[in-house]
Amino acid sequence: GVGPCDASPDEGVVEDLPLIDEKAVEQLTEGLISHYLPDLQRSKSALQELTQNQVVLLETLEQEISKFKECNSIVDINALFSEAKHYHNKLVNIRNEMMMLHEKTSKLKVSGINI
């Protein structure tokens, strides 16, 4: 004969399932949504605020980077000016030497020595 161990494990399961109440499902869904929705909305607004803050931070960083670039170009300009001053001093010295040589040659010509 057929004993209790020989019965299929699925036997009788379909009959045990209650009928699905659509209204109950709808109410459970609304309850679940109303439970989690406020937290999700708060999270959404917090993420939006965070994103806006990141945009502001990025803009500020870009401004600071451009300031550093300006500082570097100012340093380059200062180096250029000091180099220009150095060469200007060299030119002044050369001009003074040429004027001194011109005076000496003029005095020698006056003395009657042809150069």
Side-chain angles (χ1 to χ4, degrees):
V2 177
C5 294
D6 294 338
S8 170
D10 293 336
E11 196 173 309
V13 171
V14 176
E15 292 84 21
D16 292 343
L17 285 176
L19 292 173
I20 296 173
D21 185 357
E22 295 293 329
K23 188 166 177 89
V25 169
E26 190 178 321
Q27 287 175 341
L28 286 170
T29 305
E30 285 178 13
L32 191 66
I33 289 174
S34 67
H35 180 74
Y36 286 107
L37 193 60
D39 287 339
L40 289 172
Q41 285 173 331
R42 278 193 294 274
S43 297
K44 180 183 176 184
S45 65
L47 284 171
Q48 285 174 332
E49 187 179 343
L50 181 63
T51 304
Q52 288 172 346
N53 288 341
Q54 283 180 329
V55 168
V56 170
L57 183 62
L58 282 172
E59 289 172 355
T60 306
L61 277 174
E62 286 173 5
Q63 289 172 0
E64 292 300 314
I65 287 170
S66 67
K67 284 180 189 176
F68 278 117
K69 286 180 181 173
E70 286 174 21
C71 287
N72 283 340
S73 63
I74 287 172
V75 168
D76 292 343
I77 289 170
N78 285 338
L80 195 63
F81 273 121
S82 61
E83 196 175 345
K85 187 177 179 183
H86 171 73
Y87 284 113
H88 174 73
N89 288 337
K90 277 189 166 191
L91 284 171
V92 168
N93 289 337
I94 290 171
R95 189 186 72 179
N96 289 341
E97 275 187 48
M98 289 177 74
M99 286 173 61
M100 186 181 72
L101 287 172
H102 178 70
E103 279 180 38
K104 283 185 178 180
T105 54
S106 296
K107 284 179 184 176
L108 288 173
K109 279 184 183 177
V110 169
S111 303
I113 302 173
N114 279 335
I115 301 177

mmCIF file of all heavy atoms in Angstrom, residues 35-84:
data_model
loop_
_atom_site.group_PDB
_atom_site.id
_atom_site.type_symbol
_atom_site.label_atom_id
_atom_site.label_comp_id
_atom_site.label_asym_id
_atom_site.label_seq_id
_atom_site.Cartn_x
_atom_site.Cartn_y
_atom_site.Cartn_z
ATOM 1 N N HIS A 35 5.708 53.830 4.064
ATOM 2 C CA HIS A 35 6.731 53.624 5.094
ATOM 3 C C HIS A 35 8.111 54.053 4.593
ATOM 4 O O HIS A 35 8.875 54.688 5.316
ATOM 5 C CB HIS A 35 6.757 52.147 5.519
ATOM 6 C CG HIS A 35 7.777 51.849 6.566
ATOM 7 N ND1 HIS A 35 7.619 52.223 7.876
ATOM 8 C CD2 HIS A 35 8.981 51.224 6.491
ATOM 9 C CE1 HIS A 35 8.683 51.842 8.564
ATOM 10 N NE2 HIS A 35 9.517 51.223 7.743
ATOM 11 N N TYR A 36 8.443 53.701 3.351
ATOM 12 C CA TYR A 36 9.789 53.961 2.830
ATOM 13 C C TYR A 36 9.914 55.250 2.025
ATOM 14 O O TYR A 36 11.015 55.803 1.900
ATOM 15 C CB TYR A 36 10.251 52.787 1.949
ATOM 16 C CG TYR A 36 10.614 51.571 2.759
ATOM 17 C CD1 TYR A 36 9.784 50.454 2.780
ATOM 18 C CD2 TYR A 36 11.775 51.537 3.523
ATOM 19 C CE1 TYR A 36 10.105 49.336 3.531
ATOM 20 C CE2 TYR A 36 12.096 50.421 4.273
ATOM 21 C CZ TYR A 36 11.272 49.320 4.276
ATOM 22 O OH TYR A 36 11.589 48.225 5.014
ATOM 23 N N LEU A 37 8.802 55.745 1.476
ATOM 24 C CA LEU A 37 8.867 56.910 0.590
ATOM 25 C C LEU A 37 9.445 58.163 1.256
ATOM 26 O O LEU A 37 10.310 58.816 0.664
ATOM 27 C CB LEU A 37 7.483 57.194 0.002
ATOM 28 C CG LEU A 37 7.454 58.172 -1.169
ATOM 29 C CD1 LEU A 37 8.292 57.661 -2.327
ATOM 30 C CD2 LEU A 37 6.029 58.423 -1.629
ATOM 31 N N PRO A 38 9.023 58.523 2.497
ATOM 32 C CA PRO A 38 9.601 59.739 3.103
ATOM 33 C C PRO A 38 11.125 59.665 3.224
ATOM 34 O O PRO A 38 11.825 60.638 2.915
ATOM 35 C CB PRO A 38 8.937 59.802 4.485
ATOM 36 C CG PRO A 38 7.665 59.039 4.323
ATOM 37 C CD PRO A 38 7.961 57.961 3.336
ATOM 38 N N ASP A 39 11.651 58.498 3.644
ATOM 39 C CA ASP A 39 13.110 58.349 3.744
ATOM 40 C C ASP A 39 13.772 58.483 2.385
ATOM 41 O O ASP A 39 14.821 59.131 2.243
ATOM 42 C CB ASP A 39 13.472 56.983 4.352
ATOM 43 C CG ASP A 39 13.186 56.922 5.851
ATOM 44 O OD1 ASP A 39 13.104 58.008 6.472
ATOM 45 O OD2 ASP A 39 13.057 55.809 6.384
ATOM 46 N N LEU A 40 13.145 57.894 1.378
ATOM 47 C CA LEU A 40 13.709 57.976 0.033
ATOM 48 C C LEU A 40 13.686 59.416 -0.487
ATOM 49 O O LEU A 40 14.630 59.864 -1.137
ATOM 50 C CB LEU A 40 12.939 57.052 -0.920
ATOM 51 C CG LEU A 40 13.164 55.547 -0.703
ATOM 52 C CD1 LEU A 40 12.213 54.741 -1.568
ATOM 53 C CD2 LEU A 40 14.597 55.173 -1.016
ATOM 54 N N GLN A 41 12.589 60.138 -0.180
ATOM 55 C CA GLN A 41 12.508 61.537 -0.629
ATOM 56 C C GLN A 41 13.564 62.390 0.084
ATOM 57 O O GLN A 41 14.182 63.265 -0.521
ATOM 58 C CB GLN A 41 11.103 62.086 -0.395
ATOM 59 C CG GLN A 41 10.106 61.541 -1.410
ATOM 60 C CD GLN A 41 8.674 61.940 -1.100
ATOM 61 O OE1 GLN A 41 8.313 62.138 0.056
ATOM 62 N NE2 GLN A 41 7.850 62.031 -2.141
ATOM 63 N N ARG A 42 13.750 62.122 1.400
ATOM 64 C CA ARG A 42 14.793 62.853 2.140
ATOM 65 C C ARG A 42 16.173 62.540 1.556
ATOM 66 O O ARG A 42 17.004 63.435 1.386
ATOM 67 C CB ARG A 42 14.744 62.497 3.627
ATOM 68 C CG ARG A 42 13.686 63.268 4.407
ATOM 69 C CD ARG A 42 13.881 63.138 5.912
ATOM 70 N NE ARG A 42 13.673 61.762 6.368
ATOM 71 C CZ ARG A 42 12.479 61.256 6.694
ATOM 72 N NH1 ARG A 42 11.400 62.013 6.616
ATOM 73 N NH2 ARG A 42 12.362 59.998 7.100
ATOM 74 N N SER A 43 16.389 61.283 1.238
ATOM 75 C CA SER A 43 17.676 60.887 0.641
ATOM 76 C C SER A 43 17.871 61.571 -0.701
ATOM 77 O O SER A 43 18.966 62.046 -1.018
ATOM 78 C CB SER A 43 17.746 59.372 0.451
ATOM 79 O OG SER A 43 17.688 58.714 1.687
ATOM 80 N N LYS A 44 16.784 61.652 -1.478
ATOM 81 C CA LYS A 44 16.868 62.300 -2.796
ATOM 82 C C LYS A 44 17.238 63.766 -2.645
ATOM 83 O O LYS A 44 18.133 64.262 -3.338
ATOM 84 C CB LYS A 44 15.530 62.156 -3.528
ATOM 85 C CG LYS A 44 15.525 62.799 -4.899
ATOM 86 C CD LYS A 44 14.160 62.701 -5.542
ATOM 87 C CE LYS A 44 14.122 63.418 -6.877
ATOM 88 N NZ LYS A 44 12.788 63.406 -7.478
ATOM 89 N N SER A 45 16.571 64.470 -1.710
ATOM 90 C CA SER A 45 16.867 65.899 -1.550
ATOM 91 C C SER A 45 18.279 66.088 -0.986
ATOM 92 O O SER A 45 18.988 67.020 -1.377
ATOM 93 C CB SER A 45 15.826 66.579 -0.658
ATOM 94 O OG SER A 45 15.883 66.059 0.648
ATOM 95 N N ALA A 46 18.711 65.167 -0.100
ATOM 96 C CA ALA A 46 20.078 65.261 0.431
ATOM 97 C C ALA A 46 21.101 65.053 -0.681
ATOM 98 O O ALA A 46 22.116 65.760 -0.753
ATOM 99 C CB ALA A 46 20.284 64.232 1.543
ATOM 100 N N LEU A 47 20.822 64.116 -1.581
ATOM 101 C CA LEU A 47 21.733 63.874 -2.706
ATOM 102 C C LEU A 47 21.754 65.066 -3.667
ATOM 103 O O LEU A 47 22.812 65.429 -4.184
ATOM 104 C CB LEU A 47 21.320 62.605 -3.461
ATOM 105 C CG LEU A 47 21.680 61.285 -2.779
ATOM 106 C CD1 LEU A 47 21.042 60.116 -3.509
ATOM 107 C CD2 LEU A 47 23.186 61.102 -2.721
ATOM 108 N N GLN A 48 20.578 65.681 -3.886
ATOM 109 C CA GLN A 48 20.537 66.868 -4.751
ATOM 110 C C GLN A 48 21.363 68.001 -4.140
ATOM 111 O O GLN A 48 22.115 68.683 -4.837
ATOM 112 C CB GLN A 48 19.092 67.307 -4.972
ATOM 113 C CG GLN A 48 18.330 66.412 -5.936
ATOM 114 C CD GLN A 48 16.854 66.786 -6.035
ATOM 115 O OE1 GLN A 48 16.278 67.308 -5.094
ATOM 116 N NE2 GLN A 48 16.243 66.490 -7.180
ATOM 117 N N GLU A 49 21.206 68.191 -2.833
ATOM 118 C CA GLU A 49 21.971 69.241 -2.155
ATOM 119 C C GLU A 49 23.467 68.946 -2.236
ATOM 120 O O GLU A 49 24.281 69.843 -2.494
ATOM 121 C CB GLU A 49 21.528 69.331 -0.687
ATOM 122 C CG GLU A 49 22.140 70.490 0.054
ATOM 123 C CD GLU A 49 21.652 70.570 1.493
ATOM 124 O OE1 GLU A 49 20.625 69.951 1.817
ATOM 125 O OE2 GLU A 49 22.331 71.233 2.290
ATOM 126 N N LEU A 50 23.821 67.691 -2.039
ATOM 127 C CA LEU A 50 25.225 67.285 -2.130
ATOM 128 C C LEU A 50 25.779 67.555 -3.522
ATOM 129 O O LEU A 50 26.890 68.080 -3.676
ATOM 130 C CB LEU A 50 25.360 65.793 -1.792
ATOM 131 C CG LEU A 50 26.758 65.197 -1.801
ATOM 132 C CD1 LEU A 50 27.617 65.854 -0.731
ATOM 133 C CD2 LEU A 50 26.694 63.699 -1.575
ATOM 134 N N THR A 51 24.986 67.242 -4.534
ATOM 135 C CA THR A 51 25.416 67.472 -5.918
ATOM 136 C C THR A 51 25.615 68.968 -6.171
ATOM 137 O O THR A 51 26.606 69.379 -6.787
ATOM 138 C CB THR A 51 24.369 66.904 -6.894
ATOM 139 O OG1 THR A 51 24.171 65.512 -6.598
ATOM 140 C CG2 THR A 51 24.819 67.029 -8.323
ATOM 141 N N GLN A 52 24.676 69.790 -5.675
ATOM 142 C CA GLN A 52 24.814 71.241 -5.848
ATOM 143 C C GLN A 52 26.077 71.747 -5.141
ATOM 144 O O GLN A 52 26.821 72.570 -5.681
ATOM 145 C CB GLN A 52 23.585 71.963 -5.298
ATOM 146 C CG GLN A 52 22.348 71.782 -6.159
ATOM 147 C CD GLN A 52 21.088 72.325 -5.506
ATOM 148 O OE1 GLN A 52 21.077 72.615 -4.313
ATOM 149 N NE2 GLN A 52 20.019 72.442 -6.276
ATOM 150 N N ASN A 53 26.322 71.232 -3.924
ATOM 151 C CA ASN A 53 27.516 71.639 -3.187
ATOM 152 C C ASN A 53 28.787 71.229 -3.922
ATOM 153 O O ASN A 53 29.774 71.971 -3.935
ATOM 154 C CB ASN A 53 27.516 71.034 -1.777
ATOM 155 C CG ASN A 53 26.477 71.685 -0.881
ATOM 156 O OD1 ASN A 53 26.001 72.782 -1.156
ATOM 157 N ND2 ASN A 53 26.101 71.008 0.186
ATOM 158 N N GLN A 54 28.756 70.054 -4.556
ATOM 159 C CA GLN A 54 29.916 69.612 -5.314
ATOM 160 C C GLN A 54 30.161 70.521 -6.516
ATOM 161 O O GLN A 54 31.306 70.832 -6.835
ATOM 162 C CB GLN A 54 29.733 68.162 -5.784
ATOM 163 C CG GLN A 54 29.949 67.151 -4.688
ATOM 164 C CD GLN A 54 29.763 65.727 -5.165
ATOM 165 O OE1 GLN A 54 28.983 65.463 -6.063
ATOM 166 N NE2 GLN A 54 30.478 64.811 -4.549
ATOM 167 N N VAL A 55 29.075 70.958 -7.162
ATOM 168 C CA VAL A 55 29.222 71.872 -8.303
ATOM 169 C C VAL A 55 29.865 73.175 -7.835
ATOM 170 O O VAL A 55 30.804 73.686 -8.464
ATOM 171 C CB VAL A 55 27.852 72.140 -8.972
ATOM 172 C CG1 VAL A 55 27.932 73.296 -9.952
ATOM 173 C CG2 VAL A 55 27.349 70.880 -9.669
ATOM 174 N N VAL A 56 29.385 73.714 -6.706
ATOM 175 C CA VAL A 56 29.950 74.956 -6.160
ATOM 176 C C VAL A 56 31.421 74.749 -5.812
ATOM 177 O O VAL A 56 32.282 75.597 -6.113
ATOM 178 C CB VAL A 56 29.150 75.416 -4.913
ATOM 179 C CG1 VAL A 56 29.852 76.553 -4.202
ATOM 180 C CG2 VAL A 56 27.744 75.822 -5.311
ATOM 181 N N LEU A 57 31.721 73.609 -5.190
ATOM 182 C CA LEU A 57 33.099 73.304 -4.814
ATOM 183 C C LEU A 57 33.998 73.213 -6.046
ATOM 184 O O LEU A 57 35.114 73.749 -6.053
ATOM 185 C CB LEU A 57 33.141 71.980 -4.032
ATOM 186 C CG LEU A 57 34.488 71.540 -3.490
ATOM 187 C CD1 LEU A 57 35.025 72.562 -2.498
ATOM 188 C CD2 LEU A 57 34.367 70.180 -2.819
ATOM 189 N N LEU A 58 33.512 72.569 -7.091
ATOM 190 C CA LEU A 58 34.294 72.459 -8.328
ATOM 191 C C LEU A 58 34.559 73.836 -8.938
ATOM 192 O O LEU A 58 35.675 74.126 -9.378
ATOM 193 C CB LEU A 58 33.571 71.567 -9.333
ATOM 194 C CG LEU A 58 33.679 70.061 -9.083
ATOM 195 C CD1 LEU A 58 32.772 69.300 -10.035
ATOM 196 C CD2 LEU A 58 35.104 69.587 -9.239
ATOM 197 N N GLU A 59 33.529 74.693 -8.942
ATOM 198 C CA GLU A 59 33.715 76.045 -9.483
ATOM 199 C C GLU A 59 34.747 76.818 -8.664
ATOM 200 O O GLU A 59 35.611 77.509 -9.216
ATOM 201 C CB GLU A 59 32.385 76.793 -9.510
ATOM 202 C CG GLU A 59 31.414 76.274 -10.564
ATOM 203 C CD GLU A 59 30.028 76.889 -10.455
ATOM 204 O OE1 GLU A 59 29.766 77.655 -9.497
ATOM 205 O OE2 GLU A 59 29.196 76.591 -11.330
ATOM 206 N N THR A 60 34.669 76.679 -7.332
ATOM 207 C CA THR A 60 35.630 77.359 -6.456
ATOM 208 C C THR A 60 37.042 76.852 -6.716
ATOM 209 O O THR A 60 37.996 77.646 -6.788
ATOM 210 C CB THR A 60 35.250 77.129 -4.972
ATOM 211 O OG1 THR A 60 33.891 77.515 -4.785
ATOM 212 C CG2 THR A 60 36.129 77.931 -4.040
ATOM 213 N N LEU A 61 37.181 75.538 -6.857
ATOM 214 C CA LEU A 61 38.497 74.961 -7.144
ATOM 215 C C LEU A 61 39.050 75.477 -8.468
ATOM 216 O O LEU A 61 40.242 75.796 -8.566
ATOM 217 C CB LEU A 61 38.407 73.433 -7.184
ATOM 218 C CG LEU A 61 38.463 72.722 -5.834
ATOM 219 C CD1 LEU A 61 38.208 71.238 -6.003
ATOM 220 C CD2 LEU A 61 39.812 72.934 -5.175
ATOM 221 N N GLU A 62 38.194 75.572 -9.468
ATOM 222 C CA GLU A 62 38.644 76.088 -10.764
ATOM 223 C C GLU A 62 39.128 77.526 -10.641
ATOM 224 O O GLU A 62 40.135 77.917 -11.244
ATOM 225 C CB GLU A 62 37.520 75.978 -11.798
ATOM 226 C CG GLU A 62 37.279 74.560 -12.281
ATOM 227 C CD GLU A 62 36.058 74.418 -13.180
ATOM 228 O OE1 GLU A 62 35.439 75.443 -13.518
ATOM 229 O OE2 GLU A 62 35.734 73.272 -13.524
ATOM 230 N N GLN A 63 38.417 78.333 -9.837
ATOM 231 C CA GLN A 63 38.844 79.722 -9.619
ATOM 232 C C GLN A 63 40.203 79.768 -8.925
ATOM 233 O O GLN A 63 41.081 80.558 -9.287
ATOM 234 C CB GLN A 63 37.800 80.467 -8.786
ATOM 235 C CG GLN A 63 36.512 80.749 -9.528
ATOM 236 C CD GLN A 63 35.420 81.314 -8.633
ATOM 237 O OE1 GLN A 63 35.631 81.507 -7.438
ATOM 238 N NE2 GLN A 63 34.251 81.568 -9.194
ATOM 239 N N GLU A 64 40.381 78.903 -7.897
ATOM 240 C CA GLU A 64 41.655 78.867 -7.177
ATOM 241 C C GLU A 64 42.792 78.429 -8.097
ATOM 242 O O GLU A 64 43.890 78.979 -8.047
ATOM 243 C CB GLU A 64 41.567 77.928 -5.964
ATOM 244 C CG GLU A 64 40.641 78.433 -4.856
ATOM 245 C CD GLU A 64 41.059 79.777 -4.296
ATOM 246 O OE1 GLU A 64 42.263 79.966 -4.008
ATOM 247 O OE2 GLU A 64 40.190 80.655 -4.140
ATOM 248 N N ILE A 65 42.511 77.445 -8.953
ATOM 249 C CA ILE A 65 43.536 76.972 -9.892
ATOM 250 C C ILE A 65 43.936 78.104 -10.834
ATOM 251 O O ILE A 65 45.121 78.305 -11.110
ATOM 252 C CB ILE A 65 43.018 75.740 -10.677
ATOM 253 C CG1 ILE A 65 42.980 74.525 -9.753
ATOM 254 C CG2 ILE A 65 43.883 75.448 -11.897
ATOM 255 C CD1 ILE A 65 42.255 73.324 -10.346
ATOM 256 N N SER A 66 42.944 78.870 -11.310
ATOM 257 C CA SER A 66 43.274 79.977 -12.218
ATOM 258 C C SER A 66 44.089 81.045 -11.484
ATOM 259 O O SER A 66 44.986 81.656 -12.075
ATOM 260 C CB SER A 66 42.012 80.574 -12.833
ATOM 261 O OG SER A 66 41.231 81.206 -11.851
ATOM 262 N N LYS A 67 43.817 81.245 -10.174
ATOM 263 C CA LYS A 67 44.622 82.201 -9.395
ATOM 264 C C LYS A 67 46.071 81.730 -9.318
ATOM 265 O O LYS A 67 47.011 82.518 -9.443
ATOM 266 C CB LYS A 67 44.050 82.354 -7.984
ATOM 267 C CG LYS A 67 42.799 83.188 -7.915
ATOM 268 C CD LYS A 67 42.310 83.291 -6.487
ATOM 269 C CE LYS A 67 40.938 83.938 -6.404
ATOM 270 N NZ LYS A 67 40.423 83.942 -5.031
ATOM 271 N N PHE A 68 46.265 80.410 -9.080
ATOM 272 C CA PHE A 68 47.624 79.874 -9.016
ATOM 273 C C PHE A 68 48.333 80.038 -10.355
ATOM 274 O O PHE A 68 49.518 80.356 -10.406
ATOM 275 C CB PHE A 68 47.610 78.400 -8.605
ATOM 276 C CG PHE A 68 47.506 78.194 -7.121
ATOM 277 C CD1 PHE A 68 46.404 77.549 -6.592
ATOM 278 C CD2 PHE A 68 48.495 78.642 -6.268
ATOM 279 C CE1 PHE A 68 46.286 77.359 -5.222
ATOM 280 C CE2 PHE A 68 48.394 78.463 -4.902
ATOM 281 C CZ PHE A 68 47.286 77.822 -4.372
ATOM 282 N N LYS A 69 47.578 79.837 -11.447
ATOM 283 C CA LYS A 69 48.181 80.016 -12.776
ATOM 284 C C LYS A 69 48.605 81.472 -12.958
ATOM 285 O O LYS A 69 49.677 81.749 -13.498
ATOM 286 C CB LYS A 69 47.193 79.602 -13.867
ATOM 287 C CG LYS A 69 47.026 78.100 -13.985
ATOM 288 C CD LYS A 69 46.040 77.732 -15.085
ATOM 289 C CE LYS A 69 45.861 76.231 -15.183
ATOM 290 N NZ LYS A 69 44.808 75.853 -16.125
ATOM 291 N N GLU A 70 47.761 82.402 -12.492
ATOM 292 C CA GLU A 70 48.107 83.826 -12.589
ATOM 293 C C GLU A 70 49.368 84.117 -11.777
ATOM 294 O O GLU A 70 50.251 84.851 -12.230
ATOM 295 C CB GLU A 70 46.958 84.696 -12.086
ATOM 296 C CG GLU A 70 45.779 84.773 -13.030
ATOM 297 C CD GLU A 70 44.599 85.525 -12.432
ATOM 298 O OE1 GLU A 70 44.805 86.314 -11.481
ATOM 299 O OE2 GLU A 70 43.470 85.331 -12.912
ATOM 300 N N CYS A 71 49.448 83.517 -10.571
ATOM 301 C CA CYS A 71 50.636 83.726 -9.723
ATOM 302 C C CYS A 71 51.886 83.231 -10.433
ATOM 303 O O CYS A 71 52.921 83.893 -10.410
ATOM 304 C CB CYS A 71 50.484 83.001 -8.388
ATOM 305 S SG CYS A 71 49.312 83.785 -7.277
ATOM 306 N N ASN A 72 51.788 82.066 -11.071
ATOM 307 C CA ASN A 72 52.944 81.534 -11.796
ATOM 308 C C ASN A 72 53.340 82.450 -12.941
ATOM 309 O O ASN A 72 54.528 82.673 -13.168
ATOM 310 C CB ASN A 72 52.639 80.131 -12.340
ATOM 311 C CG ASN A 72 52.698 79.079 -11.264
ATOM 312 O OD1 ASN A 72 53.304 79.298 -10.219
ATOM 313 N ND2 ASN A 72 52.093 77.938 -11.500
ATOM 314 N N SER A 73 52.350 82.995 -13.647
ATOM 315 C CA SER A 73 52.690 83.893 -14.752
ATOM 316 C C SER A 73 53.299 85.187 -14.215
ATOM 317 O O SER A 73 54.190 85.757 -14.845
ATOM 318 C CB SER A 73 51.462 84.182 -15.613
ATOM 319 O OG SER A 73 50.472 84.854 -14.872
ATOM 320 N N ILE A 74 52.864 85.634 -13.027
ATOM 321 C CA ILE A 74 53.453 86.836 -12.413
ATOM 322 C C ILE A 74 54.913 86.569 -12.060
ATOM 323 O O ILE A 74 55.796 87.405 -12.273
ATOM 324 C CB ILE A 74 52.643 87.265 -11.165
ATOM 325 C CG1 ILE A 74 51.315 87.880 -11.607
ATOM 326 C CG2 ILE A 74 53.428 88.259 -10.314
ATOM 327 C CD1 ILE A 74 50.347 88.163 -10.478
ATOM 328 N N VAL A 75 55.187 85.360 -11.522
ATOM 329 C CA VAL A 75 56.563 84.990 -11.208
ATOM 330 C C VAL A 75 57.401 85.009 -12.484
ATOM 331 O O VAL A 75 58.527 85.512 -12.509
ATOM 332 C CB VAL A 75 56.613 83.596 -10.528
ATOM 333 C CG1 VAL A 75 58.026 83.064 -10.471
ATOM 334 C CG2 VAL A 75 56.031 83.667 -9.130
ATOM 335 N N ASP A 76 56.858 84.461 -13.569
ATOM 336 C CA ASP A 76 57.565 84.470 -14.851
ATOM 337 C C ASP A 76 57.817 85.908 -15.320
ATOM 338 O O ASP A 76 58.904 86.222 -15.816
ATOM 339 C CB ASP A 76 56.751 83.720 -15.918
ATOM 340 C CG ASP A 76 56.678 82.223 -15.634
ATOM 341 O OD1 ASP A 76 57.497 81.740 -14.820
ATOM 342 O OD2 ASP A 76 55.810 81.559 -16.213
ATOM 343 N N ILE A 77 56.813 86.769 -15.163
ATOM 344 C CA ILE A 77 56.965 88.172 -15.574
ATOM 345 C C ILE A 77 58.049 88.846 -14.730
ATOM 346 O O ILE A 77 58.885 89.586 -15.252
ATOM 347 C CB ILE A 77 55.613 88.920 -15.460
ATOM 348 C CG1 ILE A 77 54.660 88.435 -16.557
ATOM 349 C CG2 ILE A 77 55.816 90.424 -15.556
ATOM 350 C CD1 ILE A 77 53.240 88.934 -16.396
ATOM 351 N N ASN A 78 58.063 88.565 -13.408
ATOM 352 C CA ASN A 78 59.087 89.146 -12.538
ATOM 353 C C ASN A 78 60.482 88.694 -12.962
ATOM 354 O O ASN A 78 61.425 89.493 -12.987
ATOM 355 C CB ASN A 78 58.830 88.764 -11.076
ATOM 356 C CG ASN A 78 57.668 89.539 -10.485
ATOM 357 O OD1 ASN A 78 57.320 90.609 -10.972
ATOM 358 N ND2 ASN A 78 57.062 89.002 -9.438
ATOM 359 N N ALA A 79 60.603 87.394 -13.305
ATOM 360 C CA ALA A 79 61.894 86.885 -13.769
ATOM 361 C C ALA A 79 62.303 87.598 -15.056
ATOM 362 O O ALA A 79 63.467 87.976 -15.244
ATOM 363 C CB ALA A 79 61.819 85.383 -13.982
ATOM 364 N N LEU A 80 61.328 87.815 -15.946
ATOM 365 C CA LEU A 80 61.596 88.496 -17.214
ATOM 366 C C LEU A 80 62.056 89.940 -16.967
ATOM 367 O O LEU A 80 63.012 90.419 -17.592
ATOM 368 C CB LEU A 80 60.322 88.470 -18.059
ATOM 369 C CG LEU A 80 60.453 88.802 -19.533
ATOM 370 C CD1 LEU A 80 61.332 87.773 -20.232
ATOM 371 C CD2 LEU A 80 59.082 88.836 -20.179
ATOM 372 N N PHE A 81 61.394 90.630 -16.017
ATOM 373 C CA PHE A 81 61.782 92.010 -15.707
ATOM 374 C C PHE A 81 63.181 92.077 -15.115
ATOM 375 O O PHE A 81 63.976 92.959 -15.452
ATOM 376 C CB PHE A 81 60.777 92.653 -14.741
ATOM 377 C CG PHE A 81 59.607 93.279 -15.437
ATOM 378 C CD1 PHE A 81 58.317 92.859 -15.149
ATOM 379 C CD2 PHE A 81 59.777 94.289 -16.370
ATOM 380 C CE1 PHE A 81 57.223 93.433 -15.792
ATOM 381 C CE2 PHE A 81 58.694 94.870 -17.015
ATOM 382 C CZ PHE A 81 57.412 94.440 -16.727
ATOM 383 N N SER A 82 63.503 91.141 -14.207
ATOM 384 C CA SER A 82 64.846 91.179 -13.612
ATOM 385 C C SER A 82 65.904 90.869 -14.669
ATOM 386 O O SER A 82 66.991 91.458 -14.676
ATOM 387 C CB SER A 82 64.956 90.220 -12.430
ATOM 388 O OG SER A 82 64.733 88.901 -12.830
ATOM 389 N N GLU A 83 65.577 89.962 -15.607
ATOM 390 C CA GLU A 83 66.506 89.672 -16.700
ATOM 391 C C GLU A 83 66.673 90.907 -17.592
ATOM 392 O O GLU A 83 67.787 91.253 -18.000
ATOM 393 C CB GLU A 83 65.969 88.488 -17.514
ATOM 394 C CG GLU A 83 66.988 87.857 -18.422
ATOM 395 C CD GLU A 83 66.447 86.605 -19.111
ATOM 396 O OE1 GLU A 83 65.398 86.077 -18.686
ATOM 397 O OE2 GLU A 83 67.076 86.190 -20.094
ATOM 398 N N ALA A 84 65.556 91.590 -17.872
ATOM 399 C CA ALA A 84 65.609 92.799 -18.695
ATOM 400 C C ALA A 84 66.458 93.870 -18.007
ATOM 401 O O ALA A 84 67.255 94.568 -18.662
ATOM 402 C CB ALA A 84 64.201 93.315 -18.960
#
